[in-house]
Each structure stands twice: as structure tokens, then as C-alpha cells.
């Protein structure tokens, strides 16, 4: 999924993103939270907002973004679903993002973007 986003960004004149291990851990934890607690939302009763989760992980940033997908059988289908959503597509193309982490648990996909 990381490579698919970078390929899409490069085709659209954006910088490629750097992989961020700690951000990926935050993304995976959110996917796990959604899976275990059977919900699909950016806000979690347990962990709060996307920015709350990054802040709690002590990841320095100047901005955070998040895309979510559920129910698709693989990363390619999830990526295409995001591309077909104007809001998610725009999120993947924000110029100021420079890092990304992805977390996948079962069929819950979380993409985390970061300005560092």
C-alpha cells in the first residue's frame, strides 16, 4: 500500500513519502482497535482522534492525516477504493506530507500521513 501511494503521488507531481515505523505502529494499533471493537471511524472511544494517537506515541509533527478502508480483500483493492473517493484521493496528494505509515489488521486498513 505504501508503494502504491508513492507511485500515485509521483504520477501526480508530488514528492514520494518516507516510511515511518512508529507511525505504522500507530496505524496498525488503530486498525486493531477497529477490528477488536467492531467499528469503523477515525475517532475511537479508546484512543481518541488521529492526532491524539500520534501525540500519545510521542511522534513530533506539524500535521497528521489519515485514510481508512474496511472490507476489501487486499491492499490493491483498498488503494483503488481510496482513489475513487475524492476526499481520500486529495488526502494522498497533500504536498506537505513527507512521511507515511500503514497498518492492516484483517480487512481494516489505516493509512497515516505526517508532516515532520
Amino acid at each position: 500500500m505504501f508503494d502504491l501511494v508513492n507511485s500515485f503521488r509521483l504520477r501526480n507531481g508530488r514528492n514520494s513519502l518516507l516510511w515511518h515505523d512508529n507511525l505504522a505502529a500507530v496505524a496498525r494499533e488503530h486498525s486493531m482497535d477497529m477490528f477488536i471493537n467492531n467499528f469503523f471511524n477515525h475517532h475511537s472511544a479508546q484512543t481518541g482522534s488521529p492526532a491524539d494517537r500520534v501525540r500519545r506515541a510521542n511522534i513530533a509533527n506539524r500535521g497528521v492525516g489519515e485514510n481508512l478502508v474496511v472490507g476489501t480483500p487486499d491492499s490493491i483493492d483498498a488503494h483503488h477504493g481510496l482513489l475513487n473517493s475524492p476526499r481520500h484521493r486529495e488526502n494522498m496528494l497533500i504536498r506537505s506530507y513527507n512521511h507515511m505509515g500503514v497498518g492492516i489488521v484483517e480487512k481494516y486498513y489505516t493509512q497515516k500521513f505526517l508532516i515532520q
Side-chain angles (χ1 to χ4, degrees):
M1 191 167 244
F2 173 72
D3 291 337
L4 292 168
V5 170
N6 269 336
S7 177
F8 174 66
R9 286 178 63 88
L10 290 172
R11 284 192 315 274
N12 285 276
R14 305 305 193 269
N15 60 309
S16 60
L17 302 171
L18 300 172
W19 180 257
H20 195 293
D21 283 333
N22 293 339
L23 195 61
V26 172
R28 187 171 196 294
E29 287 170 9
H30 187 59
S31 290
M32 181 65 77
D33 182 21
M34 290 188 294
F35 173 67
I36 289 171
N37 294 299
N38 194 30
F39 75 98
F40 181 69
N41 199 304
H42 294 285
H43 190 270
S44 164
Q46 282 73 34
T47 63
S49 72
D52 292 337
R53 291 187 285 277
V54 171
R55 186 174 27 263
R56 227 180 344 275
N58 295 316
I59 300 172
N61 70 87
R62 294 181 293 123
V64 175
E66 183 176 84
N67 283 341
L68 304 175
V69 179
V70 68
T72 61
D74 59 47
S75 295
I76 293 170
D77 286 339
H79 178 70
H80 288 293
L82 291 169
L83 290 180
N84 289 327
S85 164
R87 194 165 183 198
H88 292 101
R89 183 183 178 97
E90 286 175 24
N91 209 23
M92 285 189 272
L93 291 175
I94 292 176
R95 288 187 186 275
S96 53
Y97 289 150
N98 49 26
H99 289 83
M100 182 180 182
V102 177
I104 303 167
V105 175
E106 295 298 318
K107 293 183 179 183
Y108 289 84
Y109 299 77
T110 302
Q111 295 179 334
K112 300 287 289 180
F113 301 96
L114 188 72
I115 303 168
Q116 211 169 35

